[in-house]
Amino acid sequence: MRLLVVEDDEQLASRLSDRLCDAGFAVDVARNRDEGAAWPDMDKIAAVILDLGLPDGSGMDLLRHWRQNKVDRPVLILTARGSWQDKVAGLNAGADDFVVKPVRFEELLARLHALLRRETGSRETWIEEAGIRLDPITREVECDGVPLSLSKQEYRLLNLLIRRPGQVLSQGDIIDHLYAIGSQRDFNAIEVLVSRLRRKIGAERIRTVRGLGYRFGR
Ligand code: CA
């Protein structure tokens, strides 16, 4: 899953994206309001973490801009200002949740997952599909009840597939979700990754749809 972090504080942005990557997300960073407003493919972003104090305008204004332009991705506001008035204004502008800086990463991650769960209409913290159980918080994975150890990339791929059972995902779709913008589009690497994951979860769970891509499920 890909996230967009809009944050002008470079240190904070890079610390945040490192930890979000460790948690299994692909992360893009926009450094200011205009970059955020012109972000090319918001439809591929699972959620946004938005700082309010940006050098060229307010994050709140950016949020309004997105909502007016039918960008409906869930938005978690990151703010140094924690007053209730700010929260009310943010929620009215279309934010989904708030985290006040300085923030513990664990809280941010928990809120982010809660937001993503709301998107899929699920109350469970784990996802279960086709005999695979994946917990996005602890990153534990079980296959037919047996714990699996996956590499970071294998986990990311499974995390993507398990949320789209029965759907065909092309190699391009997988690259778009797994890697940040601007990284190399290496279709071979995806093929290798898919076969590694197949060896761990069983080849029958990831079917090749000739000429189109891959489909997860039994
Ligand atoms: Ca800022």
Side-chain angles (χ1 to χ4, degrees), residues 47-156:
V48 179
I49 297 173
L50 174 64
D51 177 33
L52 284 190
L54 297 170
D56 55 348
S58 108
M60 205 79 91
D61 178 50
L62 174 55
L63 178 57
R64 274 189 217 102
H65 167 88
W66 277 332
R67 295 308 188 222
Q68 275 161 14
N69 288 279
K70 311 272 179 270
V71 173
D72 63 350
R73 305 290 70 217
V75 170
L76 179 65
I77 283 184
L78 192 58
T79 176
R81 295 169 273 177
S83 76
W84 67 266
Q85 289 93 335
D86 281 326
K87 291 188 185 169
V88 169
L91 292 168
N92 284 337
D96 298 271
D97 203 358
F98 270 87
V99 179
V100 177
K101 290 195 250 188
V103 62
R104 281 201 67 86
F105 180 74
E106 288 73 11
E107 182 190 351
L108 183 132
L109 190 62
R111 288 185 181 275
L112 188 61
H113 280 304
L115 212 115
L116 293 168
R117 281 203 298 280
R118 256 179 269 154
E119 275 280 289
T120 56
S122 163
R123 278 160 177 249
E124 307 292 355
T125 58
W126 40 265
I127 304 163
E128 196 159 11
E129 198 61 56
I132 305 280
R133 196 176 154 132
L134 178 147
D135 186 329
I137 312 247
T138 62
R139 301 186 58 199
E140 284 167 343
V141 177
E142 285 178 8
C143 178
D144 294 326
V146 180
L148 273 190
S149 143
L150 299 181
S151 74
K152 201 178 285 183
Q153 286 298 59
E154 290 161 1
Y155 173 84
R156 283 183 171 193

Side-chain angles (χ1 to χ4, degrees), residues 23 31 40 54 57 68 97-98 117 121 125 135-136 159 161 166 192 194-195 202 204 206 208 217:
R31 301 271 175 216
L54 297 170
Q68 275 161 14
D97 203 358
F98 270 87
R117 281 203 298 280
T125 58
D135 186 329
N159 190 20
L161 293 173
V192 171
V194 167
S195 49
E204 74 285 357
I206 308 176
T208 299

Side-chain angles (χ1 to χ4, degrees), residues 6-9 12 51-55 101:
V6 187
E7 170 63 72
D8 59 306
D9 179 334
L12 179 58
D51 177 33
L52 284 190
L54 297 170
K101 290 195 250 188

